[in-house]
Amino acid sequence: MKKILVPVDFSKYSEYALEVASKIAKQHGAGIVLLHMIGVSDSVLANSEIAEEAEAKYYLNQAKEKIKQYTEKEYMKEIPLEAIIQNYKDFKEVNTVAQEQHCDLVVMGSHGTSGFSDLFVGSNTEKVVRSSELPVLVIKKQQRDFTINKMVLACDLKKENIPIYKKAETFAALFSASLEIVYVNASGGNFMGRDNVEKRIELFKKELNKEINVNLYDHYSVERGILDYCFKKGADLLVIPTHGRKGLSHFVVGSLAENVSNHAELPVMTIKL
């Protein structure tokens, strides 16, 4: 791993993400790219009127000062660091910056519903997840002792998830962590008999051409079953595939039942199919 991109909005959640990114960077000798998107309208940037020009400079200077405060954090010492302040038009630009900077991972903070709460509108974590070609590690609370010993990949065991497993396996090796797959068999229209599930498991192993640990977990809800399984197994990181359509919200939105909502604060890595 050479570079980690950390989009920041200067909220406590983006600082949680930066602290985790710093720990990963130190473990693997990687650098960090800080990205802040100021969101000043094109009319302000293009207009030469004194008041509007002053407004643009104000936002830019504020961002530079806050970026500087981040770089001076104790946990950022001895980490190669670059800072990019960019006026955003579309959240796909996060992926563009990640590609241009040759990053290997995006680490970002989210409070679970609207992501970058202070500056942007909507579920922006989800927008980044949808568009990112890189794995995205989502951090939802402060991780003072961030370690990954056990990773759980939740998927439906279809052939398209083979590359997802291989990428997750690469990250597991990077963190010296164990990796297991869980298939949640939810009650309802998509419920499958155990024999059919076991056939799907065997087909997945055959396509992968490797003997792996796959667990079947019966639950009334796929989303809640995934989180419940991770809690019972003591998982440090949940990995889920995304098609670039449903993104993250399908699994970890704040509307989950109270009995598993605390466990939804588990770090989540999304990998695009």
Side-chain angles (χ1 to χ4, degrees):
M1 183 177 295
K2 295 180 180 179
K3 280 187 181 181
I4 302 168
L5 179 68
V6 184
V8 296
D9 68 343
F10 310 124
S11 69
K12 64 180 181 180
Y13 300 99
S14 56
E15 188 166 350
Y16 296 161
L18 182 59
E19 191 169 3
V20 167
S22 72
K23 292 177 181 178
I24 297 173
K26 286 179 179 177
Q27 288 171 1
H28 303 289
I32 288 178
V33 179
L34 280 174
L35 172 63
H36 178 65
M37 303 167 80
I38 57 176
V40 177
S41 69
D42 287 341
S43 62
V44 169
L45 293 176
N47 200 309
S48 60
E49 292 292 330
I50 294 176
E52 292 177 338
E53 185 177 344
E55 183 181 356
K57 287 182 178 178
Y58 171 79
Y59 284 119
L60 183 60
N61 289 334
Q62 285 283 310
K64 286 181 178 179
E65 180 57 34
K66 289 182 178 180
I67 287 282
K68 184 174 181 291
Q69 291 172 13
Y70 270 20
T71 63
E72 293 172 347
K73 297 288 184 182
E74 182 68 26
Y75 56 75
M76 292 299 294
K77 288 184 177 178
E78 300 180 359
I79 298 175
L81 181 65
E82 300 172 62
I84 298 173
I85 300 173
Q86 182 169 306
N87 194 49
Y88 81 95
K89 296 182 180 67
D90 190 300
F91 278 88
K92 291 179 182 177
E93 293 177 18
V94 173
N95 181 60
T96 300
V97 172
Q99 299 286 350
E100 290 174 349
Q101 294 294 317
H102 305 289
C103 296
D104 305 289
L105 176 68
V106 177
V107 181
M108 63 188 302
S110 172
H111 59 63
T113 52
S114 61
F116 294 167
S117 59
D118 294 333
L119 300 181
F120 304 127
V121 177
S123 181
N124 299 303
T125 303
E126 183 177 348
K127 291 174 185 175
V128 172
V129 164
R130 286 180 181 181
S131 60
S132 179
E133 299 298 325
L134 298 178
V136 179
L137 176 59
V138 180
I139 304 298
K140 300 175 70 180
K141 68 175 184 178
Q142 190 169 29
Q143 306 282 332
R144 294 189 182 278
D145 299 309
F146 181 77
T147 54
I148 299 176
N149 296 313
K150 179 177 287 188
M151 292 171 53
V152 171
L153 168 62
C155 70
D156 58 11
L157 300 175
K158 292 181 179 178
K159 184 178 179 179
E160 62 187 7
N161 287 292
I162 295 292
I164 301 294
Y165 178 84
K166 291 180 178 179
K167 288 181 181 179
E169 190 177 43
T170 298
F171 273 96
L174 193 65
F175 295 122
S176 300
S178 64
L179 174 65
E180 60 186 72
I181 295 180
V182 61
Y183 174 84
V184 176
N185 197 22
S187 56
N190 295 320
F191 182 82
M192 293 199 303
R194 187 166 292 271
D195 288 345
N196 289 331
V197 175
E198 288 178 354
K199 285 179 183 178
R200 181 175 285 195
I201 291 173
E202 291 307 312
L203 285 172
F204 188 84
K205 290 180 180 179
K206 185 177 179 181
E207 289 286 346
L208 186 61
N209 194 28
K210 184 177 181 179
E211 187 61 33
I212 57 172
N213 186 16
V214 180
N215 298 282
L216 172 62
Y217 192 66
D218 293 323
H219 204 274
Y220 66 90
S221 161
V222 173
E223 296 89 341
R224 296 169 188 175
I226 289 170
L227 296 174
D228 191 47
Y229 179 87
C230 287
F231 173 68
K232 289 181 178 178
K233 289 290 185 175
D236 301 301
L237 178 67
L238 166 63
V239 182
I240 53 175
T242 174
H243 290 79
R245 295 191 297 271
K246 291 181 178 177
L248 189 63
S249 65
H250 185 59
F251 293 95
V252 295
V253 289
S255 59
L256 295 172
E258 289 183 6
N259 63 328
V260 294
S261 63
N262 288 335
H263 313 145
E265 295 181 345
L266 177 75
V268 176
M269 178 182 287
T270 65
I271 301 176
K272 194 172 184 179
L273 288 168

